[in-house]
Structures are given as C-alpha cells and as structure tokens.
Amino acid sequence: MSLLATAAIEVAQAVELAADAAESDADPQSVAGASSAGFAYGLAAIGPGIGIGYLVGQAVQAMARQPESAGMVRTTMFLGIAFTEALALIGFVVFILLKFV
Amino acid sequence: MSAADAAPLDDQRTVVDRATREAGNPELSVAFDMVRRSLPFLPLLILGSAAIWGINGAWSTAYGIAVVLANFVLAAAILAWSARISVVFLAIGAFGGFFIRLSLIFLAVMLVKDAGWVELVPLGLTLIVTHLGLLFWELRYVSATLAYPGLKPATTPLTAD
C-alpha cells in the first residue's frame, strides 16, 4: 500500500514538474504539437493491434475447422496482417512528420 | 480434467499443428516473391525521389525501401518459424511480431532522423507507398492463385480413376 502511495506521489510530482516546464519556457504550440503527435501514434497503434488480434483468432479458428486449408489460410493471414499493419505505419509516419518536420 | 476428457482436444491440436507444419512456409514464399517482383520497379522510385528531393531524397527513399522489405521478410520469417512449433505459437508470433517489428521500424527511423543524408518527408512517404504498393501488387497474384487453383501445377502426378 505504501509502495502505491509513494508511486502516486512520484507521478504527481512528475506531472507537476512537466506542467511547470510547459508553463515556464516551452512554446505552447510545440508542446501541443508533441502531445498530439504522441496521441496520433498511440491511437494509430491501437486499431491495428485489435485488428491483428481478431484476424489471427479467426485464422486459427479456420485452421482448426479445416486443417487441410492451413496453407491458404496462412497466406491470406500474412497479407491481412501486412494490410492491417499499414494503418500503424501511416500513424507512425504522421507522428514523425508532426514531430520533426 | 481427466486424461479421457483431454484426449479429444489433444488429438485436435495434434491434427491442426501437423497440418500447419505440413503447409510449408507460404509466408516466406509470398515475402520473397514480393521482393523479387519489386526489384525492377524500385530504382524508378529512387529516381523519382531524387528528381523531387535531390540526392538526400534518393538515399532516404532507398533506406525506406530497405526497411519495408526487411519488415516483410522478418514478418514472414517470424510466422514461418512459429508455425513450425504449433498453431498457438503462430498466434503468439503474429501478435508479438507486430509489436517487435513496429518497435524496430521506430528505432530504424529514430536512429537516422538527424543524419545529414535523411529527408523525413520522402522517407515517410516511401514507407507508406512501398508497403501498400507491394501488397496490392502481390495481392493480384495471390488472389488469382486462390481463385483459380487449377492453374497451379499439381504437386503430385494426377492419376486416372
């Protein structure tokens, strides 16, 4: 319990320090840009994560129902994973363009 | 759970694992096919990038292409390796591979972002365009193979009944 309390105090101090830094010398626009870039990357990675989980689950189910079609299922699963991953890649590119360009 | 209750599930797992193992490495075939088909067109992409962003753009595009191709081959290798173990490992490999490869792409870009020869705009555009372009290009061949399996050469000699 005391460990949790210590961690909570440390997090609160870190947030306070970050807020002070943001108020004092950092440009609000750059702070907002960095925050939104981070959010863009994080949100863009959630969707593909869910998508790949669903896709692989369905592929495993298909292979369990029809083991003889495992090769075909794995081929389409690989392409499906690559297509889903493109969303995360787009999110990453948006992140680097917002943050560093 | 008694051994008798577990037996059917174990049998089913064995059948699925064996079928997955015997399917070979279709992911590696697709990935290497993608690399092979893309080779004649990639210099054009680099030349186009050089025309717009100069020599730094060309280097960045070449680096982006290398990252995308390595990503495809690594994804296929992880899936093929995990499928050889079991179907459960296939699922773990697919999901874990996603995080590993995303982290590696992040590292690959972050390590060079301040280098003098890197232009981030062509690098980012190359990552998206090459990834999607190669996938759509390969999809034509894969969908044709799946739609018309009779066109594929038979692996075992056909016998008359």
Side-chain angles (χ1 to χ4, degrees), chain A residues 41 48-49 52-53 56 63-64 67 70-72 74-76 78-79 81-83 85-86 88-90 92-93 95-96 100-101, chain B residues 16 19-20 23-24 26-27 71 76 79 83 90-91 94-95 98 101 105-106 109-110 113 120 124 131-132 135-136 139 142 146:
Chain A
Y41 187 32
I52 288 176
V56 172
M63 283 187 272
M72 193 184 75
R74 276 171 58 190
T75 304
T76 46
F78 174 65
L79 289 173
I81 288 174
F83 268 110
E85 195 181 296
L89 216 52
I90 291 170
F92 173 63
V93 170
F95 162 73
I96 58 172
F100 302 113
V101 176
Chain B
V16 177
T20 311
E27 301 91 359
N71 180 40
L79 287 176
L90 180 65
F95 206 58
F98 170 65
R101 285 179 292 110
I105 292 173
F106 183 83
V109 174
M110 286 296 134
K113 72 178 172 52
L120 285 176
H131 188 94
L132 283 175
L135 274 177
F136 276 110
L139 202 61
V142 172
L146 293 177

Side-chain angles (χ1 to χ4, degrees), chain B residues 64-90:
Chain B
I65 289 168
V67 167
V68 169
L69 293 182
N71 180 40
F72 277 135
V73 173
L74 184 63
I78 289 174
L79 287 176
W81 169 75
S82 55
R84 273 200 296 274
I85 299 172
S86 76
V87 75
V88 176
F89 254 83
L90 180 65

Side-chain angles (χ1 to χ4, degrees), chain B:
Chain B
M1 187 193 285
S2 67
D5 290 334
L9 185 59
D10 285 345
D11 286 350
Q12 193 185 5
R13 274 189 193 146
T14 310
V15 169
V16 177
D17 287 346
R18 196 189 313 131
T20 311
R21 220 171 291 133
E22 284 172 0
N25 299 322
E27 301 91 359
L28 277 175
S29 308
V30 171
F32 284 125
D33 200 43
M34 256 189 241
V35 173
R36 189 174 54 82
R37 285 186 207 281
S38 67
L39 287 179
F41 298 99
L42 295 180
L44 296 177
L45 201 61
I46 295 174
L47 282 177
S49 180
I52 300 172
W53 288 285
I55 190 72
N56 287 347
W59 280 117
S60 305
T61 299
Y63 186 71
I65 289 168
V67 167
V68 169
L69 293 182
N71 180 40
F72 277 135
V73 173
L74 184 63
I78 289 174
L79 287 176
W81 169 75
S82 55
R84 273 200 296 274
I85 299 172
S86 76
V87 75
V88 176
F89 254 83
L90 180 65
I92 294 171
F95 206 58
F98 170 65
F99 288 109
I100 291 171
R101 285 179 292 110
L102 214 56
S103 310
L104 287 179
I105 292 173
F106 183 83
L107 273 180
V109 174
M110 286 296 134
L111 285 177
V112 300
K113 72 178 172 52
D114 294 323
W117 53 272
V118 168
E119 294 271 347
L120 285 176
V121 175
L123 177 59
L125 287 179
T126 304
L127 286 177
I128 296 174
V129 169
T130 313
H131 188 94
L132 283 175
L134 285 179
L135 274 177
F136 276 110
W137 189 253
E138 185 65 21
L139 202 61
R140 296 170 63 226
Y141 299 99
V142 172
S143 58
T145 307
L146 293 177
Y148 306 108
L151 292 179
K152 286 177 72 176
T155 51
T156 53
L158 298 173
T159 53
D161 291 330

Side-chain angles (χ1 to χ4, degrees), chain A residues 36-83:
Chain A
S36 43
F39 274 117
Y41 187 32
L43 290 173
I46 290 175
I50 296 170
I52 288 176
Y54 184 75
L55 194 156
V56 172
Q58 294 295 315
V60 169
Q61 196 177 39
M63 283 187 272
R65 285 175 188 271
Q66 280 189 300
E68 69 275 9
S69 65
M72 193 184 75
V73 171
R74 276 171 58 190
T75 304
T76 46
M77 185 185 82
F78 174 65
L79 289 173
I81 288 174
F83 268 110

